[in-house]
Each structure stands twice: as structure tokens, then as C-alpha cells.
Amino acid sequence: MVEAAGEGVSLNHIAIESSDIKRLTKFYKEMFGFEEVETPNFGDNHFKIDDVPPSSSIVKDPSHVRTGQHLCFTISNFHSFLQTLKEKGIEISEINNNIKRVFFYDPDGNGLEVVSS
């Protein structure tokens, strides 16, 4: 984990690929309570990835989430969040050690980890 060296430092963005941005936006809003913000105008430097594979071709086994390439969130209501994942039919891989955490994929196959605070 990396901690900010001082005040005024915050996460700017995380870039992930999507074959269906509306579906992915809905997922993050429902699962994490994220708010949708207006996309900035990046001008000529903005790029679009057109070769994102359809989600049906993505490996869905959460035990294969690449630990070196994933997003991780800390959640205070871990058990409730875990129940929500199960209710939505999202396959998970739980790690049973001294840290309560779970791995799973978003609809576009981006690896996610959620740990209990």
C-alpha cells in the first residue's frame, strides 16, 4: 500500500478498459457507490481502445486474478458487501488468512480485490 506523502495528494484516476462503458459504470455505481462525473475533454491526447474483447471471452475464474495487476478497495461493511456479491451471482475467490479479502472480476474482466477495514 502506498500512502500519500502529504496533504493535497489524492488519486486522480485509474484507467481500465471496457467493451460497454454504460454497463461498467452501472457496476461500479452499484457495487461501490461511486458517483458518475463528467468526462474531461482530453483533446487530441485522448485515445480509445477498440480491441477490448467481449466479456464472454474473458477468464471469469476469480482465483486467477493477477495479483500484480488489479484494483483494491477497502470496505468497512465487508460482510454486507460479500453478501451483495453473492446475491448478484458474482464469482469470488476468498482468501482465508488474517486479512478478510475477496477477489473477483468486474464485467470487463478487470481484477478487483476488496479487503475489510
Side-chain angles (χ1 to χ4, degrees), residues 24-41:
L24 201 60
T25 299
K26 180 181 177 192
F27 173 83
Y28 279 90
K29 287 166 81 173
E30 287 180 359
M31 297 307 301
F32 298 103
F34 286 179
E35 294 180 24
E36 189 171 355
V37 297
E38 186 176 339
T39 302
N41 180 355

Side-chain angles (χ1 to χ4, degrees), residues 33 44 47 49 53 69 75 95 97 111:
D44 293 337
F47 58 92
I49 307 234
Q69 184 179 2
I75 297 210
I95 305 295
N97 56 19

Side-chain angles (χ1 to χ4, degrees), residues 4-46:
E7 289 187 36
V9 177
S10 63
L11 177 64
N12 182 279
H13 74 276
I14 297 172
I16 55 177
E17 298 175 352
S18 177
S19 60
D20 184 339
I21 194 66
K22 290 181 181 180
R23 179 193 67 216
L24 201 60
T25 299
K26 180 181 177 192
F27 173 83
Y28 279 90
K29 287 166 81 173
E30 287 180 359
M31 297 307 301
F32 298 103
F34 286 179
E35 294 180 24
E36 189 171 355
V37 297
E38 186 176 339
T39 302
N41 180 355
F42 294 105
D44 293 337
N45 293 327
H46 188 247

Side-chain angles (χ1 to χ4, degrees), residues 47-107:
F47 58 92
K48 182 179 179 215
I49 307 234
D50 293 320
D51 60 352
V52 177
S55 59
S56 61
S57 70
I58 296 171
V59 175
K60 295 290 187 177
D61 182 353
S63 66
H64 289 96
V65 170
R66 294 174 57 197
T67 57
Q69 184 179 2
H70 66 279
L71 304 173
C72 180
F73 301 100
T74 301
I75 297 210
S76 59
N77 57 346
F78 183 80
H79 293 293
S80 175
F81 183 80
L82 191 60
Q83 184 62 34
T84 299
L85 289 172
K86 291 177 181 179
E87 289 171 1
K88 290 186 174 287
I90 297 173
E91 291 186 46
I92 61 172
S93 175
E94 292 184 72
I95 305 295
N96 295 318
N97 56 19
N98 60 346
I99 300 172
K100 293 179 184 174
R101 62 184 179 164
V102 63
F103 290 93
F104 59 101
Y105 288 101
D106 73 14

